[in-house]
mmCIF file with all atom_site columns, all heavy atoms in Angstrom:
data_model
loop_
_atom_site.group_PDB
_atom_site.id
_atom_site.type_symbol
_atom_site.label_atom_id
_atom_site.label_alt_id
_atom_site.label_comp_id
_atom_site.label_asym_id
_atom_site.label_entity_id
_atom_site.label_seq_id
_atom_site.pdbx_PDB_ins_code
_atom_site.Cartn_x
_atom_site.Cartn_y
_atom_site.Cartn_z
_atom_site.occupancy
_atom_site.B_iso_or_equiv
_atom_site.pdbx_formal_charge
_atom_site.auth_seq_id
_atom_site.auth_comp_id
_atom_site.auth_asym_id
_atom_site.auth_atom_id
_atom_site.pdbx_PDB_model_num
ATOM 1   N N   . GLU A 1 41  ? 148.664 95.437  85.599  1.00 79.00 ? 41  GLU A N   1
ATOM 2   C CA  . GLU A 1 41  ? 149.528 94.339  85.161  1.00 79.00 ? 41  GLU A CA  1
ATOM 3   C C   . GLU A 1 41  ? 150.347 94.764  83.942  1.00 79.00 ? 41  GLU A C   1
ATOM 4   O O   . GLU A 1 41  ? 151.554 94.513  83.849  1.00 79.00 ? 41  GLU A O   1
ATOM 5   C CB  . GLU A 1 41  ? 148.686 93.112  84.805  1.00 79.00 ? 41  GLU A CB  1
ATOM 6   C CG  . GLU A 1 41  ? 148.185 92.337  85.999  1.00 79.00 ? 41  GLU A CG  1
ATOM 7   C CD  . GLU A 1 41  ? 147.354 91.138  85.564  1.00 79.00 ? 41  GLU A CD  1
ATOM 8   O OE1 . GLU A 1 41  ? 147.159 90.953  84.340  1.00 79.00 ? 41  GLU A OE1 1
ATOM 9   O OE2 . GLU A 1 41  ? 146.894 90.389  86.437  1.00 79.00 ? 41  GLU A OE2 1
ATOM 10  N N   . ARG A 1 50  ? 161.948 96.939  80.927  1.00 56.00 ? 50  ARG A N   1
ATOM 11  C CA  . ARG A 1 50  ? 162.986 97.946  80.673  1.00 56.00 ? 50  ARG A CA  1
ATOM 12  C C   . ARG A 1 50  ? 164.255 97.676  81.470  1.00 56.00 ? 50  ARG A C   1
ATOM 13  O O   . ARG A 1 50  ? 165.348 98.040  81.045  1.00 56.00 ? 50  ARG A O   1
ATOM 14  C CB  . ARG A 1 50  ? 162.481 99.342  81.030  1.00 56.00 ? 50  ARG A CB  1
ATOM 15  C CG  . ARG A 1 50  ? 161.423 99.882  80.083  1.00 56.00 ? 50  ARG A CG  1
ATOM 16  C CD  . ARG A 1 50  ? 161.180 101.346 80.412  1.00 56.00 ? 50  ARG A CD  1
ATOM 17  N NE  . ARG A 1 50  ? 160.215 101.959 79.507  1.00 56.00 ? 50  ARG A NE  1
ATOM 18  C CZ  . ARG A 1 50  ? 159.952 103.249 79.468  1.00 56.00 ? 50  ARG A CZ  1
ATOM 19  N NH1 . ARG A 1 50  ? 160.576 104.064 80.306  1.00 56.00 ? 50  ARG A NH1 1
ATOM 20  N NH2 . ARG A 1 50  ? 159.067 103.741 78.622  1.00 56.00 ? 50  ARG A NH2 1
ATOM 21  N N   . LEU A 1 66  ? 164.855 103.532 91.578  1.00 43.00 ? 66  LEU A N   1
ATOM 22  C CA  . LEU A 1 66  ? 164.241 104.248 92.692  1.00 43.00 ? 66  LEU A CA  1
ATOM 23  C C   . LEU A 1 66  ? 164.687 105.704 92.787  1.00 43.00 ? 66  LEU A C   1
ATOM 24  O O   . LEU A 1 66  ? 163.962 106.549 93.292  1.00 43.00 ? 66  LEU A O   1
ATOM 25  C CB  . LEU A 1 66  ? 164.543 103.537 94.011  1.00 43.00 ? 66  LEU A CB  1
ATOM 26  C CG  . LEU A 1 66  ? 163.868 102.169 94.181  1.00 43.00 ? 66  LEU A CG  1
ATOM 27  C CD1 . LEU A 1 66  ? 164.427 101.466 95.405  1.00 43.00 ? 66  LEU A CD1 1
ATOM 28  C CD2 . LEU A 1 66  ? 162.361 102.332 94.296  1.00 43.00 ? 66  LEU A CD2 1
ATOM 29  N N   . HIS A 1 79  ? 150.341 115.033 81.433  1.00 54.00 ? 79  HIS A N   1
ATOM 30  C CA  . HIS A 1 79  ? 149.408 116.022 80.874  1.00 54.00 ? 79  HIS A CA  1
ATOM 31  C C   . HIS A 1 79  ? 148.095 115.347 80.459  1.00 54.00 ? 79  HIS A C   1
ATOM 32  O O   . HIS A 1 79  ? 147.013 115.909 80.641  1.00 54.00 ? 79  HIS A O   1
ATOM 33  C CB  . HIS A 1 79  ? 150.045 116.728 79.678  1.00 54.00 ? 79  HIS A CB  1
ATOM 34  C CG  . HIS A 1 79  ? 151.131 117.686 80.073  1.00 54.00 ? 79  HIS A CG  1
ATOM 35  N ND1 . HIS A 1 79  ? 150.941 118.699 80.990  1.00 54.00 ? 79  HIS A ND1 1
ATOM 36  C CD2 . HIS A 1 79  ? 152.434 117.761 79.679  1.00 54.00 ? 79  HIS A CD2 1
ATOM 37  C CE1 . HIS A 1 79  ? 152.064 119.381 81.138  1.00 54.00 ? 79  HIS A CE1 1
ATOM 38  N NE2 . HIS A 1 79  ? 152.996 118.822 80.368  1.00 54.00 ? 79  HIS A NE2 1
ATOM 39  N N   . GLY A 1 85  ? 141.524 113.663 84.272  1.00 53.00 ? 85  GLY A N   1
ATOM 40  C CA  . GLY A 1 85  ? 141.016 113.906 85.617  1.00 53.00 ? 85  GLY A CA  1
ATOM 41  C C   . GLY A 1 85  ? 140.016 115.039 85.667  1.00 53.00 ? 85  GLY A C   1
ATOM 42  O O   . GLY A 1 85  ? 138.990 114.961 86.345  1.00 53.00 ? 85  GLY A O   1
ATOM 43  N N   . ALA A 1 101 ? 153.657 117.399 89.553  1.00 50.00 ? 101 ALA A N   1
ATOM 44  C CA  . ALA A 1 101 ? 154.605 116.488 88.904  1.00 50.00 ? 101 ALA A CA  1
ATOM 45  C C   . ALA A 1 101 ? 154.994 117.004 87.523  1.00 50.00 ? 101 ALA A C   1
ATOM 46  O O   . ALA A 1 101 ? 156.154 116.903 87.099  1.00 50.00 ? 101 ALA A O   1
ATOM 47  C CB  . ALA A 1 101 ? 153.994 115.094 88.788  1.00 50.00 ? 101 ALA A CB  1
ATOM 48  N N   . GLY A 1 154 ? 97.432  99.032  98.494  1.00 79.00 ? 154 GLY A N   1
ATOM 49  C CA  . GLY A 1 154 ? 96.960  98.202  99.589  1.00 79.00 ? 154 GLY A CA  1
ATOM 50  C C   . GLY A 1 154 ? 95.642  98.660  100.156 1.00 79.00 ? 154 GLY A C   1
ATOM 51  O O   . GLY A 1 154 ? 94.811  97.847  100.574 1.00 79.00 ? 154 GLY A O   1
ATOM 52  N N   . ALA A 1 231 ? 134.122 97.055  98.623  1.00 85.00 ? 231 ALA A N   1
ATOM 53  C CA  . ALA A 1 231 ? 133.213 97.859  97.791  1.00 85.00 ? 231 ALA A CA  1
ATOM 54  C C   . ALA A 1 231 ? 131.835 97.212  97.715  1.00 85.00 ? 231 ALA A C   1
ATOM 55  O O   . ALA A 1 231 ? 130.806 97.893  97.793  1.00 85.00 ? 231 ALA A O   1
ATOM 56  C CB  . ALA A 1 231 ? 133.806 98.034  96.395  1.00 85.00 ? 231 ALA A CB  1
ATOM 57  N N   . HIS A 1 268 ? 121.065 82.131  107.187 1.00 83.00 ? 268 HIS A N   1
ATOM 58  C CA  . HIS A 1 268 ? 122.070 83.199  107.226 1.00 83.00 ? 268 HIS A CA  1
ATOM 59  C C   . HIS A 1 268 ? 121.631 84.404  108.063 1.00 83.00 ? 268 HIS A C   1
ATOM 60  O O   . HIS A 1 268 ? 122.378 85.371  108.178 1.00 83.00 ? 268 HIS A O   1
ATOM 61  C CB  . HIS A 1 268 ? 122.387 83.664  105.802 1.00 83.00 ? 268 HIS A CB  1
ATOM 62  C CG  . HIS A 1 268 ? 122.813 82.553  104.891 1.00 83.00 ? 268 HIS A CG  1
ATOM 63  N ND1 . HIS A 1 268 ? 124.013 81.905  105.020 1.00 83.00 ? 268 HIS A ND1 1
ATOM 64  C CD2 . HIS A 1 268 ? 122.165 81.966  103.857 1.00 83.00 ? 268 HIS A CD2 1
ATOM 65  C CE1 . HIS A 1 268 ? 124.107 80.967  104.089 1.00 83.00 ? 268 HIS A CE1 1
ATOM 66  N NE2 . HIS A 1 268 ? 122.997 80.984  103.366 1.00 83.00 ? 268 HIS A NE2 1
ATOM 67  N N   . LYS A 1 348 ? 94.580  111.080 85.090  1.00 79.00 ? 348 LYS A N   1
ATOM 68  C CA  . LYS A 1 348 ? 93.677  110.196 85.828  1.00 79.00 ? 348 LYS A CA  1
ATOM 69  C C   . LYS A 1 348 ? 92.625  109.556 84.927  1.00 79.00 ? 348 LYS A C   1
ATOM 70  O O   . LYS A 1 348 ? 91.612  109.058 85.424  1.00 79.00 ? 348 LYS A O   1
ATOM 71  C CB  . LYS A 1 348 ? 92.980  110.980 86.946  1.00 79.00 ? 348 LYS A CB  1
ATOM 72  C CG  . LYS A 1 348 ? 93.900  111.743 87.886  1.00 79.00 ? 348 LYS A CG  1
ATOM 73  C CD  . LYS A 1 348 ? 94.876  110.841 88.610  1.00 79.00 ? 348 LYS A CD  1
ATOM 74  C CE  . LYS A 1 348 ? 95.630  111.577 89.711  1.00 79.00 ? 348 LYS A CE  1
ATOM 75  N NZ  . LYS A 1 348 ? 96.396  112.740 89.225  1.00 79.00 ? 348 LYS A NZ  1
ATOM 76  N N   . THR A 1 386 ? 92.640  90.231  84.634  1.00 86.00 ? 386 THR A N   1
ATOM 77  C CA  . THR A 1 386 ? 91.678  89.131  84.502  1.00 86.00 ? 386 THR A CA  1
ATOM 78  C C   . THR A 1 386 ? 91.471  88.428  85.837  1.00 86.00 ? 386 THR A C   1
ATOM 79  O O   . THR A 1 386 ? 90.341  88.147  86.245  1.00 86.00 ? 386 THR A O   1
ATOM 80  C CB  . THR A 1 386 ? 92.177  88.111  83.455  1.00 86.00 ? 386 THR A CB  1
ATOM 81  O OG1 . THR A 1 386 ? 92.287  88.757  82.175  1.00 86.00 ? 386 THR A OG1 1
ATOM 82  C CG2 . THR A 1 386 ? 91.219  86.943  83.332  1.00 86.00 ? 386 THR A CG2 1
ATOM 83  N N   . GLY A 1 416 ? 101.197 71.602  89.643  1.00 83.00 ? 416 GLY A N   1
ATOM 84  C CA  . GLY A 1 416 ? 99.879  72.150  89.350  1.00 83.00 ? 416 GLY A CA  1
ATOM 85  C C   . GLY A 1 416 ? 99.942  73.581  88.877  1.00 83.00 ? 416 GLY A C   1
ATOM 86  O O   . GLY A 1 416 ? 101.009 74.195  88.813  1.00 83.00 ? 416 GLY A O   1
ATOM 87  N N   . ASP A 1 451 ? 92.496  69.755  79.761  1.00 65.00 ? 451 ASP A N   1
ATOM 88  C CA  . ASP A 1 451 ? 91.725  69.199  80.874  1.00 65.00 ? 451 ASP A CA  1
ATOM 89  C C   . ASP A 1 451 ? 90.232  69.195  80.538  1.00 65.00 ? 451 ASP A C   1
ATOM 90  O O   . ASP A 1 451 ? 89.504  68.242  80.847  1.00 65.00 ? 451 ASP A O   1
ATOM 91  C CB  . ASP A 1 451 ? 91.953  70.031  82.145  1.00 65.00 ? 451 ASP A CB  1
ATOM 92  C CG  . ASP A 1 451 ? 93.298  69.725  82.789  1.00 65.00 ? 451 ASP A CG  1
ATOM 93  O OD1 . ASP A 1 451 ? 93.928  68.730  82.383  1.00 65.00 ? 451 ASP A OD1 1
ATOM 94  O OD2 . ASP A 1 451 ? 93.708  70.488  83.684  1.00 65.00 ? 451 ASP A OD2 1
ATOM 95  N N   . TYR A 1 458 ? 85.492  69.765  83.910  1.00 57.00 ? 458 TYR A N   1
ATOM 96  C CA  . TYR A 1 458 ? 84.499  70.295  82.999  1.00 57.00 ? 458 TYR A CA  1
ATOM 97  C C   . TYR A 1 458 ? 84.438  71.815  83.040  1.00 57.00 ? 458 TYR A C   1
ATOM 98  O O   . TYR A 1 458 ? 84.315  72.421  84.104  1.00 57.00 ? 458 TYR A O   1
ATOM 99  C CB  . TYR A 1 458 ? 83.130  69.705  83.333  1.00 57.00 ? 458 TYR A CB  1
ATOM 100 C CG  . TYR A 1 458 ? 82.050  70.065  82.336  1.00 57.00 ? 458 TYR A CG  1
ATOM 101 C CD1 . TYR A 1 458 ? 82.053  69.489  81.062  1.00 57.00 ? 458 TYR A CD1 1
ATOM 102 C CD2 . TYR A 1 458 ? 81.073  70.984  82.650  1.00 57.00 ? 458 TYR A CD2 1
ATOM 103 C CE1 . TYR A 1 458 ? 81.069  69.818  80.146  1.00 57.00 ? 458 TYR A CE1 1
ATOM 104 C CE2 . TYR A 1 458 ? 80.088  71.318  81.741  1.00 57.00 ? 458 TYR A CE2 1
ATOM 105 C CZ  . TYR A 1 458 ? 80.095  70.727  80.481  1.00 57.00 ? 458 TYR A CZ  1
ATOM 106 O OH  . TYR A 1 458 ? 79.125  71.065  79.567  1.00 57.00 ? 458 TYR A OH  1
ATOM 107 N N   . GLU A 1 496 ? 92.440  72.194  118.249 1.00 91.00 ? 496 GLU A N   1
ATOM 108 C CA  . GLU A 1 496 ? 91.833  73.034  117.210 1.00 91.00 ? 496 GLU A CA  1
ATOM 109 C C   . GLU A 1 496 ? 91.972  72.386  115.834 1.00 91.00 ? 496 GLU A C   1
ATOM 110 O O   . GLU A 1 496 ? 91.065  72.480  114.995 1.00 91.00 ? 496 GLU A O   1
ATOM 111 C CB  . GLU A 1 496 ? 92.493  74.415  117.213 1.00 91.00 ? 496 GLU A CB  1
ATOM 112 C CG  . GLU A 1 496 ? 92.105  75.273  118.405 1.00 91.00 ? 496 GLU A CG  1
ATOM 113 C CD  . GLU A 1 496 ? 92.905  76.561  118.475 1.00 91.00 ? 496 GLU A CD  1
ATOM 114 O OE1 . GLU A 1 496 ? 94.110  76.529  118.118 1.00 91.00 ? 496 GLU A OE1 1
ATOM 115 O OE2 . GLU A 1 496 ? 92.340  77.592  118.889 1.00 91.00 ? 496 GLU A OE2 1
ATOM 116 N N   . ARG A 1 498 ? 92.012  69.177  115.194 1.00 92.00 ? 498 ARG A N   1
ATOM 117 C CA  . ARG A 1 498 ? 91.010  68.107  115.124 1.00 92.00 ? 498 ARG A CA  1
ATOM 118 C C   . ARG A 1 498 ? 89.611  68.681  114.907 1.00 92.00 ? 498 ARG A C   1
ATOM 119 O O   . ARG A 1 498 ? 88.828  68.169  114.086 1.00 92.00 ? 498 ARG A O   1
ATOM 120 C CB  . ARG A 1 498 ? 91.064  67.279  116.407 1.00 92.00 ? 498 ARG A CB  1
ATOM 121 C CG  . ARG A 1 498 ? 90.145  66.057  116.382 1.00 92.00 ? 498 ARG A CG  1
ATOM 122 C CD  . ARG A 1 498 ? 90.466  65.068  117.482 1.00 92.00 ? 498 ARG A CD  1
ATOM 123 N NE  . ARG A 1 498 ? 90.326  65.666  118.806 1.00 92.00 ? 498 ARG A NE  1
ATOM 124 C CZ  . ARG A 1 498 ? 91.338  65.880  119.635 1.00 92.00 ? 498 ARG A CZ  1
ATOM 125 N NH1 . ARG A 1 498 ? 92.570  65.534  119.275 1.00 92.00 ? 498 ARG A NH1 1
ATOM 126 N NH2 . ARG A 1 498 ? 91.134  66.417  120.821 1.00 92.00 ? 498 ARG A NH2 1
ATOM 127 N N   . TRP A 1 525 ? 77.044  60.414  91.483  1.00 90.00 ? 525 TRP A N   1
ATOM 128 C CA  . TRP A 1 525 ? 78.351  60.438  90.822  1.00 90.00 ? 525 TRP A CA  1
ATOM 129 C C   . TRP A 1 525 ? 78.202  60.701  89.322  1.00 90.00 ? 525 TRP A C   1
ATOM 130 O O   . TRP A 1 525 ? 78.994  61.430  88.739  1.00 90.00 ? 525 TRP A O   1
ATOM 131 C CB  . TRP A 1 525 ? 79.078  59.117  91.064  1.00 90.00 ? 525 TRP A CB  1
ATOM 132 C CG  . TRP A 1 525 ? 79.608  59.008  92.470  1.00 90.00 ? 525 TRP A CG  1
ATOM 133 C CD1 . TRP A 1 525 ? 79.522  59.939  93.458  1.00 90.00 ? 525 TRP A CD1 1
ATOM 134 C CD2 . TRP A 1 525 ? 80.279  57.875  93.039  1.00 90.00 ? 525 TRP A CD2 1
ATOM 135 N NE1 . TRP A 1 525 ? 80.101  59.487  94.621  1.00 90.00 ? 525 TRP A NE1 1
ATOM 136 C CE2 . TRP A 1 525 ? 80.590  58.222  94.393  1.00 90.00 ? 525 TRP A CE2 1
ATOM 137 C CE3 . TRP A 1 525 ? 80.643  56.623  92.570  1.00 90.00 ? 525 TRP A CE3 1
ATOM 138 C CZ2 . TRP A 1 525 ? 81.242  57.337  95.254  1.00 90.00 ? 525 TRP A CZ2 1
ATOM 139 C CZ3 . TRP A 1 525 ? 81.298  55.738  93.414  1.00 90.00 ? 525 TRP A CZ3 1
ATOM 140 C CH2 . TRP A 1 525 ? 81.604  56.092  94.754  1.00 90.00 ? 525 TRP A CH2 1
ATOM 141 N N   . CYS A 1 528 ? 77.406  64.387  88.836  1.00 91.00 ? 528 CYS A N   1
ATOM 142 C CA  . CYS A 1 528 ? 78.603  65.204  89.092  1.00 91.00 ? 528 CYS A CA  1
ATOM 143 C C   . CYS A 1 528 ? 79.558  65.129  87.908  1.00 91.00 ? 528 CYS A C   1
ATOM 144 O O   . CYS A 1 528 ? 80.066  66.155  87.435  1.00 91.00 ? 528 CYS A O   1
ATOM 145 C CB  . CYS A 1 528 ? 79.321  64.721  90.356  1.00 91.00 ? 528 CYS A CB  1
ATOM 146 S SG  . CYS A 1 528 ? 78.462  65.119  91.892  1.00 91.00 ? 528 CYS A SG  1
#
Side-chain angles (χ1 to χ4, degrees):
E41 283 180 358
R50 290 189 178 189
L66 292 170
H79 288 306
H268 305 290
K348 307 300 189 301
T386 298
D451 283 348
Y458 187 72
E496 288 173 324
R498 185 165 60 247
W525 286 359
C528 288

